[in-house]
Amino acid sequence: MGKILEIYRSSENCPIRTVLDRIGDKWSILVILILGEEETMRFNELQKSMNDISQKMLTVTLRKLESDGLVHRRIFPEIPPRVEYNLTERGISLLPHIHSLSDWATKNIDGIRRSRAKSGN
Amino acid sequence: MGKILEIYRSSENCPIRTVLDRIGDKWSILVILILGEEETMRFNELQKSMNDISQKMLTVTLRKLESDGLVHRRIFPEIPPRVEYNLTERGISLLPHIHSLSDWATKNIDGIRRSRAKSGN
DNA sequence: GATTTTAAGTTACTTTTGGTAACTCAAAGG
DNA sequence: CCTTTGAGTTACCAAAAGTAACTTAAAATC
């Protein structure tokens, strides 16, 4: 029995699940990757660059990332409002791991699509 | 504008999203990590080691992983039935990336918990 | 000076995904 | 003949994600 499995069994306090439950949602990883490329972005810029996320889901996603200390939110007291987002130190430290995942995805997507087709999607 | 963002914008065929939409669900990464440690496991062994997944969700998760060619399913024609699961080559090639993510999670969990507490969870 | 535009959200509502509990199947054991 | 066993289904209920319309206050347009 490996170390990871033992941690999992005490599932109350399992770090991996605590973290993955959050960034394992539909949009978080995407936001982190985008902010990793663009440094600083405003709300609408982010939304356009994701191109199919709703305002509500972007708000929810950013608030979660903010509360985990992965993304920083800076409000300018202007009208119309201006809010800028960027990765925190912690968010930046997560980037390479997500990049290695997305590199894997790019390399394996053809094989995966073929598998899905065989099994009737 | 980086390469990744351009790929995202053509979101129909984006490899990263196609893959993450699947393994970004609640249980897939967990199953992959466990099968990475135990080599071969039966359905009920998997369920016990996850400790709070329902039969239905384990079935659904395994079927998706199978159809992506990440997990192999071997049925023994016995009664009561016996079904053994293990990672495929492709599944094994994904393991190190998931491990690096979970190492990050372990290192950062304390800081993340502190952030969450500050923001009122 | 009334109307529209603008950025960054809310709110109320619908649809999809996840979760629970009970049921199935066919043979072996008591 | 009734229960147990492993690997699931099925029918049902709750939670998360998605949609469309609304909000807010100033500045720009008519």
Side-chain angles (χ1 to χ4, degrees), chain B residues 61-121:
Chain B
T61 302
L62 287 168
R63 290 296 196 287
K64 281 190 198 167
L65 291 172
E66 194 195 359
S67 99
D68 279 10
L70 297 170
V71 160
H72 179 246
R73 179 164 180 268
R74 186 178 176 197
I75 313 147
F76 296 81
E78 299 172 4
I79 282 166
R82 177 148 70 109
V83 180
E84 288 185 352
Y85 292 93
N86 57 268
L87 292 180
T88 60
E89 284 286 305
R90 188 181 294 149
I92 291 167
S93 77
L94 177 54
L95 253 187
H97 306 286
I98 294 180
H99 271 128
S100 87
L101 244 189
S102 73
D103 288 348
W104 181 90
T106 306
K107 267 179 213 138
N108 286 273
I109 187 66
D110 290 343
I112 288 172
R113 277 204 233 274
R114 262 179 271 120
S115 283
R116 283 187 194 175
K118 258 189 222 167
S119 71
N121 293 276

Side-chain angles (χ1 to χ4, degrees), chain A residues 2-4 6 12-13 17 22 31 38 41-42 53 59 63 71 74 77-79 81 83 90 101 110 114-116:
Chain A
K3 220 178 181 181
I4 292 176
E6 281 180 47
E12 306 286 308
N13 278 33
R17 297 187 63 179
R22 287 267 176 121
V31 169
E38 296 286 330
M41 279 182 106
R42 299 178 64 176
I53 191 175
T59 303
R63 289 296 196 288
V71 160
R74 186 175 175 202
E78 300 172 6
I79 281 168
V83 181
R90 188 181 295 150
L101 242 190
D110 290 343
R114 262 180 268 121
S115 283
R116 285 186 194 176

